[in-house]
């Protein structure tokens, strides 16, 4: 199977965020800025992102790695190897 | 006796229990939700008399959010439960009044109008009020490790005018305090922000709309609430919860239990012989009279949505020595939310009431109890005539509930709508591993507070860091 590239992983992450931040516009997310500042997400919502990654993609994110999910860019960088495992 | 095993048990299908169950189900947990009553809602529920559908509890939903706003408690709940805002069909209030003998303050869902009203009525105290507001803005009222200290001490360090203090406290006390004449400062801030900063709205369809959204979500996640199912005992072994016994003789094994039925109500389930001291039972209970009229309240003379009425110089928020306190009340006109879809006029009057007097009368003599309810209705009619100049006192239908009605349907000791003054903010019972508390006695208030409580406690103890499964 071909490996997922940046944009493909980004789409997976974006789909999850769109389902969590129901009332937010996710199309304008800037990849290098903090997600929680653009989208009104707090620590409770990051729990949901982690849960959805596990549910949809069988990807585990241990709690010490939560800071890796701070921006879209860091999310994709951190998750790409996990998607491609 | 039959037995079964689940990952989580939620006791009580009120706002906190339903919100908690939704979170657990979203995370794929196997959860059993039990409710003693035959319908959901807990302290905010509903019933039907004749053809009419009544709400219990909910006058208004606090924490109203305005379009474009972000990061308010209500937004957090919507995201956590994944329910879109528009599904609540919120209809905002017109305005509300705090009506004392000499002065009346007005507030709306725009906080500036409250500032303006205080400026007019208390011109010398406005700067002190504004510095209190700054302090409130910067206070984190939902931190689970806040100490308990009383709000009036804090407010008096900003505002010197006792009349203004009494008026500011009036709605906040009667919409949420388990203490007489004061409240914990964190709760004061919760209430201040949710009522004065954010304001009131009513879902079209009343409390049913909210409950139906929550129960539909539970169903869509494959969960199920078991009604008419009471927990008769929480079973503990070596300092950890290991299951519950249900009233149908079923034993359910489980090491994670969230109770939403109250602090001492939960302790009584652990130890049914437990004696609960008088001072630990909340003293604040209420009667409510609901009158259905042909004319709507605006035709009868008032456009206000809610009136916090007090006929004394001070506001006495306490258990009255008489069956009800007839010198103060909260009056709600549900028609006076902006989007009135009702065919008839609805007039609701809530009065502080003495639980023990009602309980003794109810158990001694049913006929006198019913007669007392008639007397309360008549007193409430007189009060309404003061507020509605065109109201003759005629109505099509009425219903009155008393403090004993509250205990009967919600299980709250003492008919205490706001629970015990002994709150457990951490949500933990330190003596019993695996047992947690959410809802009224965890200390967030109102419908939004209850849901936030269920969500926060569930996230913290059951969903973060894994759980002690």
């Amino acid at each position: 199977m071909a490996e997922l590239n940046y944009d493909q992983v980004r789409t997976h992450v974006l789909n999850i965020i769109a389902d969590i931040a129901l009332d937010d516009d996710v199309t304008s997310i800037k990849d290098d800025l903090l997600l929680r500042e653009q989208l009104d997400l707090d620590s409770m919502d990051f729990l949901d992102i982690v849960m959805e990654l596990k549910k949809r993609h069988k990807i585990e994110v241990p709690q010490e790695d939560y800071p890796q999910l701070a921006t879209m860019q860091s999310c994709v960088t951190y998750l790409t190897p996990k998607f491609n495992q | 006796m039959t037995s079964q095993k689940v990952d989580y048990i939620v006791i009580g299908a009120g706002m906190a229990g339903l919100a908690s169950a939704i979170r657990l189900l979203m995370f794929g947990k196997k959860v059993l939700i039990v409710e003693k009553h035959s319908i959901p809602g807990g302290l905010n529920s509903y019933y039907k008399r004749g053809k009419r559908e009544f709400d219990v509890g909910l006058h208004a939903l606090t924490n109203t959010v305005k379009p474009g706003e972000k990061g308010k408690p209500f937004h957090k709940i919507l995201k956590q439960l994944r329910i879109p805002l528009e599904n609540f069909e919120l209809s905002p209030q017109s305005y509300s009044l705090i009506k004392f003998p000499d002065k009346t303050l007005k507030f709306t869902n725009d906080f500036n109008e409250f500032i303006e009203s205080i400026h007019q009525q208390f011109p010398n105290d406005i700067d002190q009020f504004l510095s209190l507001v700054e302090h409130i803005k910067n206070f984190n009222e939902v931190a689970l490790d806040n100490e308990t200290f009383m709000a009036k001490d804090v407010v008096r360090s900003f505002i010197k005018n006792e009349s203004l203090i009494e008026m500011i406290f009036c709605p906040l006390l009667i919409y949420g305090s388990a203490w007489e004449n004061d409240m914990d400062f964190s709760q004061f801030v919760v209430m201040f922000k949710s009522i004065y900063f954010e304001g009131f709205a009513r879902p079209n369809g009343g409390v049913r709309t909210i409950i139906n959204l929550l129960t539909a979500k539970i169903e869509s996640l494959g969960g199920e609430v078991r009604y008419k199912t009471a927990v008769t005992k929480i079973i503990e072994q070596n300092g950890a919860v290991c299951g519950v016994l249900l009233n149908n003789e079923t034993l359910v094994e489980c090491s994670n239990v969230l109770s939403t039925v109250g602090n001492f109500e939960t302790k009584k389930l652990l130890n049914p012989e437990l004696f609960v001291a008088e001072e630990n039972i909340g003293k604040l209970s209420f009667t409510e009279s609901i009158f259905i009229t042909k004319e709507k309240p605006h035709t009868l003379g008032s456009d206000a949505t809610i009136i916090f009425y007090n006929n004394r110089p001070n506001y006495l928020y306490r258990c009255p020595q008489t069956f009800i306190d007839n010198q103060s009340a909260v009056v709600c006109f549900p028609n006076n939310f902006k989007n009135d879809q009702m065919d008839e006029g609805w007039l609701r009057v809530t009065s502080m009431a003495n639980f023990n007097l009602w309980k003794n009368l109810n158990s001694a003599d049913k006929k006198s109890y019913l007669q007392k309810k008639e007397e309360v209705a008549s007193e409430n009619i007189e009060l309404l005539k003061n507020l509605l100049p065109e109201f003759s006192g005629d109505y099509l239908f009425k219903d009155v509930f008393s403090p004993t009605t509250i205990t009967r349907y919600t299980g709250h000791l003492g008919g205490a709508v706001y629970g015990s003054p002994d709150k457990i903010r951490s949500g933990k019972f330190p003596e019993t591993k695996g047992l947690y508390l959410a809802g009224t006695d965890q200390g967030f208030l109102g419908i939004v507070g209850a849901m936030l409580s269920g969500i926060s406690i569930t996230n913290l103890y059951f969903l973060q860091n894994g759980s002690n499964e």
Side-chain angles (χ1 to χ4, degrees):
Chain A
M1 203 165 72
E3 299 223 324
L4 298 186
N5 63 24
Y6 186 97
D7 284 342
Q8 289 164 322
V9 172
R10 188 184 189 280
T11 304
H12 283 313
V13 175
L14 195 69
N15 287 342
I16 288 174
I17 291 174
D19 287 344
I20 292 168
L22 280 178
D23 290 310
D24 274 316
D25 174 14
V26 296
T27 54
S28 59
I29 291 177
K30 301 232 182 344
D31 286 20
D32 54 340
L33 298 183
L34 291 175
L35 285 169
R36 66 163 68 199
E37 284 180 6
Q38 301 178 75
L39 289 172
D40 181 30
L41 295 174
D42 62 21
S43 55
M44 298 207 289
D45 302 310
F46 280 86
L47 194 63
D48 290 59
I49 296 177
V50 171
M51 181 267 286
E52 292 294 342
L53 283 167
K54 188 177 169 188
K55 201 153 97 183
R56 298 183 194 186
H57 305 292
K58 308 266 183 298
I59 289 175
E60 299 265 5
V61 181
Q63 193 166 23
E64 61 268 24
D65 290 348
Y66 284 13
Q68 307 283 347
L69 307 178
T71 67
M72 181 58 96
Q73 200 167 8
S74 67
C75 269
V76 176
T77 309
Y78 171 75
L79 292 170
T80 302
K82 291 181 177 280
F83 270 98
N84 290 326
Q85 239 167 37
Chain B
M1 187 185 295
T2 55
S3 84
Q4 63 172 122
K5 200 170 177 175
V6 294
D7 299 335
Y8 297 88
I9 293 174
V10 175
I11 309 175
M15 300 294 171
L18 292 172
S20 164
I22 289 172
R23 292 294 294 162
L24 290 166
L25 290 163
M26 280 168 66
F27 279 68
K29 311 290 184 187
K30 191 175 171 197
V31 49
L32 173 67
I33 314 144
V34 291
E35 167 57 50
K36 187 152 86 170
H37 193 17
S38 54
I39 50 169
L43 288 162
N44 291 282
S45 192
Y46 53 80
Y47 61 96
K48 201 166 178 170
R49 288 273 183 282
K51 59 175 179 170
R52 296 183 180 88
E53 301 196 312
F54 291 81
D55 282 357
V56 187
L58 179 110
H59 281 171
L61 192 69
T62 58
N63 305 82
T64 303
V65 291
K66 292 146 200 111
E69 277 183 339
K70 284 185 175 182
K72 304 284 185 211
F74 201 64
H75 292 112
K76 287 186 201 295
I77 289 164
L78 296 171
K79 263 189 299 163
Q80 288 276 302
L81 302 180
R82 301 205 199 157
I83 300 175
L85 176 60
E86 64 262 27
N87 292 14
F88 281 84
E89 301 175 54
L90 293 181
S91 167
Q93 67 167 330
S94 55
Y95 61 90
S96 291
L97 299 175
I98 307 167
K99 202 169 159 50
F100 276 45
D102 298 331
K103 290 185 197 299
T104 298
L105 290 175
K106 176 179 168 180
F107 64 96
T108 65
N109 292 358
D110 176 357
F111 184 61
N112 291 323
E113 296 200 45
F114 190 43
I115 295 177
E116 187 47 41
S117 180
I118 290 178
H119 195 178
Q120 278 174 14
Q121 301 287 318
F122 295 92
N124 298 326
D125 306 294
I126 186 68
D127 292 337
Q128 296 179 354
F129 175 72
L130 292 175
S131 56
L132 171 70
V133 169
E134 273 314 299
H135 182 67
I136 288 170
K137 271 186 189 158
N138 297 323
F139 187 82
N140 179 14
E141 69 281 11
V142 292
L144 294 179
D145 55 356
N146 281 353
E147 303 275 325
T148 295
F149 48 93
M150 299 318 279
K152 277 197 178 159
D153 294 337
V154 180
V155 173
R156 283 193 184 112
S157 71
F158 289 91
I159 298 176
K160 301 299 165 212
N161 188 325
E162 284 291 323
S163 314
L164 176 58
I165 294 176
E166 293 287 306
M167 293 185 85
I168 293 169
F169 268 83
C170 168
L172 312 186
L173 288 169
I174 200 158
Y175 268 2
S177 180
W179 287 269
E180 293 186 302
N181 291 319
D182 207 342
M183 62 204 304
D184 162 50
F185 185 68
S186 293
Q187 294 207 329
F188 172 83
V189 175
V190 169
M191 297 300 287
F192 195 100
K193 289 182 178 174
S194 65
I195 292 178
Y196 294 139
F197 284 179
E198 293 156 18
F200 296 140
R202 179 182 186 273
N204 292 334
V207 75
R208 280 172 180 75
T209 302
I210 303 172
I211 293 172
N212 291 345
L213 285 171
L214 299 177
T215 51
K217 194 83 198 181
I218 285 178
E219 264 174 55
S220 75
L221 292 162
E224 184 203 354
V225 183
R226 277 204 223 154
Y227 296 105
K228 295 186 184 170
T229 306
V231 170
T232 52
K233 188 162 171 45
I234 297 172
I235 304 160
E236 181 186 20
Q237 212 168 36
N238 306 326
V241 66
C242 61
V244 304
L245 193 62
L246 303 179
N247 59 346
N248 58 8
E249 297 288 295
T250 307
L251 174 73
V252 187
E253 286 178 64
C254 185
S255 53
N256 297 293
V257 174
L258 181 77
S259 170
T260 65
V261 302
N263 176 357
F264 291 96
E265 291 82 351
T266 304
K267 287 175 181 157
K268 273 185 91 69
L269 290 177
L270 274 167
N271 173 12
E273 314 295 302
L274 179 81
F275 170 77
V276 183
E278 194 79 4
E279 72 255 27
N280 293 329
I281 299 176
K283 290 177 182 58
L284 282 312
S285 195
F286 301 95
T287 59
E288 183 165 71
S289 304
I290 303 161
F291 304 96
I292 317 282
T293 53
K294 197 157 157 267
E295 309 280 351
K296 293 197 172 181
H298 70 92
T299 314
L300 300 174
S302 181
D303 293 327
T305 305
I306 296 174
I307 301 172
F308 299 90
Y309 172 80
N310 175 41
N311 198 31
R312 301 183 181 98
N314 293 331
Y315 182 60
L316 301 182
Y317 181 69
R318 58 167 192 198
C319 174
Q321 300 299 307
T322 46
F323 279 83
I324 66 160
D325 176 21
N326 62 7
Q327 295 300 303
S328 72
V330 185
V331 176
C332 174
F333 303 130
N335 303 89
N336 288 346
F337 287 92
K338 297 245 163 88
N339 183 8
D340 178 16
Q341 299 181 328
M342 290 170 274
D343 302 327
E344 299 167 316
W346 285 70
L347 320 175
R348 297 173 65 173
V349 185
T350 306
S351 310
M352 287 176 242
N354 181 311
F355 176 78
N356 286 330
L357 291 177
W358 283 97
K359 188 182 126 210
N360 294 340
L361 187 65
N362 191 10
S363 46
D365 175 5
K366 199 81 190 169
K367 204 172 147 204
S368 312
Y369 169 77
L370 295 174
Q371 195 190 329
K372 185 54 80 178
K373 291 218 283 190
E374 291 296 324
E375 287 172 37
V376 168
S378 309
E379 288 191 78
N380 289 160
I381 286 284
E382 291 312 307
L383 190 147
L384 281 169
K385 284 184 185 167
N386 285 332
L387 302 173
L388 298 168
E390 310 296 323
F391 182 44
S392 65
D394 294 340
Y395 53 83
L396 302 169
F397 189 84
K398 73 154 189 308
D399 197 42
V400 181
F401 70 76
S402 83
T404 49
T405 324
I406 296 168
T407 295
R408 189 167 135 219
Y409 288 106
T410 71
H412 268 275
L413 295 171
V417 170
Y418 305 128
S420 166
D422 279 13
K423 302 295 178 201
I424 307 181
R425 283 188 77 81
S426 71
K428 271 198 287 201
F429 291 95
E431 315 289 305
T432 311
K433 197 166 168 270
L435 177 64
Y436 300 97
L437 182 79
T440 309
D441 278 348
Q442 191 265 321
F444 300 169
L445 296 164
I447 291 181
V448 172
M451 290 192 279
L452 195 58
S453 168
I455 292 167
S456 308
I457 298 298
T458 303
N459 285 350
L460 183 61
Y461 297 115
F462 295 156
L463 303 178
Q464 269 170 18
N465 312 320
S467 70
N468 51 342
E469 287 169 56

